[in-house]
Amino acid sequence: MQHTVPQEPGGVLILAGTPIGDVADASPRLRQTLREADLIAAEDTRRLQGLLQRLELVTTARVVSYFEGNEAARTPELLAELGAGQRVVLVTDAGMPSVSDPGYRLVAACVAAGIRVTAVPGPSAVLTALAVSGLPVDRFTFEGFLPRKGGERSRRLRKLATEERTMVFFEAPHRLAEFLTDAAAALGADRPAAVCRELTKTYEEVRRGGLAELAGWAVGGARGEITVVIAGATPLEADPAAAVEEVQELIAAGTKLKPAVAEVAERTGVARNALYQAVLDARRG
């Protein structure tokens, strides 16, 4: 006897991952989801039409735009459609919606309204770049696009100088050389990294090397979609005696005891409570 799965009441938001380059990566489930949608919200409706043509798909779904500039206004409209029981599919230009792309605002609104959210998994530039980078991938952090202004970008990179996990960034090709130069200054010229360009496309390229070396290469110009993977910092061996001296120097320069201990503990890896007690003991001694 054949059993059918009952349809859930109410609408459903489906985050559909689209190919990041090679259209052959489109899954059968993505094709089915696009065919059966009631409404498709696309970051770029022209890109969506191009994808449908390449997939030789026809859909009766109504298509609307959903991008950074109209997210705030469009989200209530999509919530109303979902509340009316519509099957709404969200697609971006490439990869998974809401991952450094439009989608988070709508997902959060659906969760708050009790509307079901699911996904059709698809290609990801983040995971693909990690996989081919040759760098450790057991632990990583996704940093997306850093600030465009050089000063703000450098400050963010300095904060990541002690990050021990492999880091993944997106960057525009015309800013790549500046980004890598700033990263070399903040993280070290020899810090291993990989620049992944045009992943899964015809002219895919992965350049591996130290940050300074890659910055020199990028000065010649790079084109296409860029994902940068940078190795994490080598863990520092804690030196309690040196940490106590650092705290004492900060105090001598005018920093209060607790803030000085907190700053040095974070930078050196020495346990805060143990460092605080060691400083007190040094004072008594």
Side-chain angles (χ1 to χ4, degrees):
M1 180 182 296
Q2 184 175 1
H3 296 278
T4 59
V5 179
Q7 294 294 316
E8 294 189 20
V12 57
L13 172 65
I14 304 173
L15 308 176
T18 56
I20 61 175
D22 192 332
V23 72
D25 291 334
S27 68
R29 188 168 168 225
L30 172 63
R31 294 168 180 268
Q32 179 183 357
T33 298
L34 292 172
R35 277 197 300 264
E36 297 178 352
D38 295 313
L39 187 154
I40 301 175
E43 183 178 10
D44 186 325
T45 57
R46 291 171 298 182
R47 293 280 291 269
L48 171 65
Q49 293 300 336
L51 176 63
L52 292 174
Q53 290 175 7
R54 292 194 298 277
L55 294 176
E56 299 180 347
L57 282 182
V58 176
T59 179
T60 59
R62 182 162 67 91
V63 176
V64 299
S65 63
Y66 189 78
F67 59 97
E68 185 178 358
N70 74 354
E71 271 187 285
R74 186 73 80 187
T75 294
E77 299 175 19
L78 296 179
L79 280 178
E81 297 287 352
L82 288 159
Q86 294 291 288
R87 187 180 183 88
V88 176
V89 177
L90 177 62
V91 295
T92 55
D93 291 347
M96 283 300 299
S98 84
V99 180
S100 199
D101 270 334
Y104 169 75
R105 187 193 298 266
L106 180 57
V107 171
C110 286
V111 171
I115 295 171
R116 182 180 173 225
V117 179
T118 187
V120 175
S124 164
V126 175
L127 297 181
T128 303
L130 278 166
V132 303
S133 69
L135 299 172
V137 296
D138 52 333
R139 297 174 65 240
F140 66 90
T141 175
F142 174 56
E143 297 295 328
F145 286 96
L146 293 192
R148 297 182 180 184
K149 295 182 179 179
E152 295 178 14
R153 183 172 57 238
S154 293
R155 283 193 289 274
R156 285 281 297 276
L157 286 165
R158 285 196 295 270
K159 289 183 179 180
L160 294 170
T162 58
E163 172 59 65
E164 296 178 9
R165 295 170 293 181
T166 297
M167 298 168 280
V168 185
F169 303 85
F170 287 159
E171 190 52 275
H174 62 279
R175 290 195 299 269
L176 179 62
E178 294 179 0
F179 167 83
L180 292 170
T181 299
D182 290 345
L187 309 179
D190 296 325
R191 179 78 70 95
V195 176
C196 306
R197 188 181 71 82
E198 295 289 84
L199 287 168
T200 77
K201 298 179 183 178
T202 302
Y203 298 104
E204 175 180 287
E205 181 180 18
V206 180
R207 301 281 300 205
R208 303 176 183 86
L211 284 169
E213 175 189 348
L214 291 172
W217 163 78
V219 169
R223 302 174 67 180
E225 301 288 336
I226 304 288
T227 305
V228 181
V229 186
I230 302 178
T234 302
L236 297 174
E237 293 187 8
D239 184 345
V244 169
E245 290 183 10
E246 288 189 42
V247 172
Q248 291 172 331
E249 290 174 2
L250 286 173
I251 292 173
T255 304
K256 298 293 185 181
L257 174 58
K258 286 187 177 180
V261 168
E263 177 181 336
V264 174
E266 182 177 2
R267 185 169 64 248
T268 63
V270 177
R272 184 181 300 191
N273 290 341
L275 179 56
Y276 185 86
Q277 187 60 50
V279 173
L280 293 181
D281 292 343
R283 282 182 170 180
R284 298 190 189 100

